[in-house]
Amino acid sequence: MFGRSSVAVPGDRGGLPAAELDLTVVMPFFNPGPQLGATVRDVVAVLRSTGATFEVLAVSDGSTDGSEATLRDTEDSGVELVVLPEHAGKGMAVRAGFARGRGRYLGFIDADGDVPPDLLADFLAIAKAQQPDGVLGSKRHPESEVVYPPARRLYSWGYQQLVRSLFRLKVRDTQAGIKLVRRDVLEAVLPWMVEQGFAFDLELLVLARRHGFEDFVEAPVRIGRRFRSTISAFVVLEMLRDTFAIWWRLHVRHGYGPETPRPPAT
């Protein structure tokens, strides 16, 4: 029996619910096809093997391909389907999941299966051992195994250089589709976030640094099972537009509020 189902309200800025679990994993999706159910089941199996307490929030970003129905056979009470009423973007879908998250760490993994779910066990082990501000998948990590088209590789490399020059982040890859972030970091940055699309990841990291959180561990990823490229000229231009919007908001409009020191450890 499918666990829970709810409809998300875009733009909800309420605080996070109480922390009750080790981990919340958000799986945003938009028309991923029939493999969605299998990918969610794989994530659940991996998390069960870790012994951690967890929940999986599968967030439909206004999907119209019937993929939500593949979750009805997910016999696990730790899985919740969250439905956005219309397509709003990956960032909005992740934020809708985070708003419901009860984990001490909250993260997301792409629901299309291109990022292997077993990486979550490695990321969780790092989080438990080091207690960093976050664990970030990085295609630039020397141990990463990434096979993708030359054009996609060029776009990725160029974007990474642009981000480095604009924001001086101590992160080599802001856009890999798997991340875990500690709860207090999200509590500090989510109220300021506005990006709804793929620049959500970048905005999160820019705001984390603005609030004094820079202890992010980059971990290797494996991408190559399918890697269906969704890169188009439109997507590239949209990413560039949103990236410069973050820069403008940060440096010109000062729309992210004052820099705040990291809260003292308790």
Side-chain angles (χ1 to χ4, degrees):
M1 180 69 182
F2 184 68
R4 294 175 288 165
S5 180
S6 59
V7 176
V9 180
D12 183 4
R13 298 281 177 168
L16 299 181
E20 300 174 355
L21 305 168
D22 294 324
L23 180 65
T24 294
V25 175
V26 177
M27 300 182 68
F29 65 92
F30 175 66
N31 293 347
Q35 75 273 13
L36 174 66
T39 304
V40 172
R41 286 190 289 272
D42 287 346
V43 166
V44 169
V46 168
L47 295 178
R48 278 178 172 168
S49 73
T50 68
T53 56
F54 68 89
E55 63 184 350
V56 175
L57 306 179
V59 183
S60 172
D61 183 20
S63 290
T64 58
D65 66 346
S67 54
E68 296 165 7
T70 68
L71 298 177
R72 291 176 184 152
D73 295 330
T74 305
E75 298 177 357
D76 188 275
S77 59
V79 178
E80 176 182 356
L81 172 64
V82 179
V83 179
L84 294 180
E86 59 185 22
H87 183 49
K90 172 190 171 182
M92 181 63 78
V94 173
R95 194 156 64 231
F98 281 166
R100 289 157 173 73
R102 296 173 293 150
R104 285 172 277 277
Y105 272 86
L106 300 93
F108 61 87
I109 184 170
D110 289 346
D112 56 14
D114 284 341
V115 178
D118 64 272
L119 291 177
L120 285 168
D122 300 334
F123 279 47
L124 184 57
I126 294 171
K128 286 182 175 180
Q130 301 183 37
Q131 296 291 305
D133 296 333
V135 185
L136 313 177
S138 174
K139 299 183 292 295
R140 301 278 290 177
H141 193 285
E143 297 178 19
S144 288
E145 301 174 13
V146 180
V147 179
Y148 52 17
R152 180 74 178 254
R153 187 178 295 274
L154 178 62
Y155 290 143
S156 180
W157 180 86
Y159 185 72
Q160 290 159 7
Q161 303 315 304
L162 175 65
V163 166
R164 178 171 295 190
S165 65
L166 289 178
F167 301 103
R168 306 296 179 185
L169 293 175
K170 298 177 182 179
V171 173
R172 289 170 293 183
D173 181 8
T174 62
Q175 299 307 121
I178 177 172
K179 291 178 176 64
L180 301 184
V181 183
R182 206 174 59 227
R183 185 182 194 81
D184 57 323
V185 180
L186 290 176
E187 288 176 331
V189 306
L190 282 177
W192 296 98
M193 294 189 68
V194 298
E195 289 297 327
Q196 298 185 14
F198 289 106
F200 171 90
D201 308 55
L202 173 62
E203 186 180 42
L204 188 156
L205 294 171
V206 167
L207 281 168
R209 187 180 68 172
R210 191 164 181 80
H211 287 268
F213 298 101
E214 293 191 83
D215 181 20
F216 288 95
V217 176
E218 292 189 88
V221 296
R222 300 190 312 278
I223 303 176
R225 183 163 64 91
R226 288 191 308 273
F227 211 104
R228 298 168 301 156
S229 178
T230 57
I231 292 295
S232 65
F234 175 78
V235 171
V236 171
L237 290 174
E238 188 176 58
M239 276 292 297
L240 291 175
R241 179 202 66 193
D242 293 345
T243 298
F244 282 108
I246 294 171
W247 181 89
W248 184 267
R249 212 174 288 127
L250 179 68
H251 294 290
V252 180
R253 286 185 52 204
H254 304 291
Y256 289 129
E259 289 191 53
T260 57
R262 181 174 185 155
T266 56

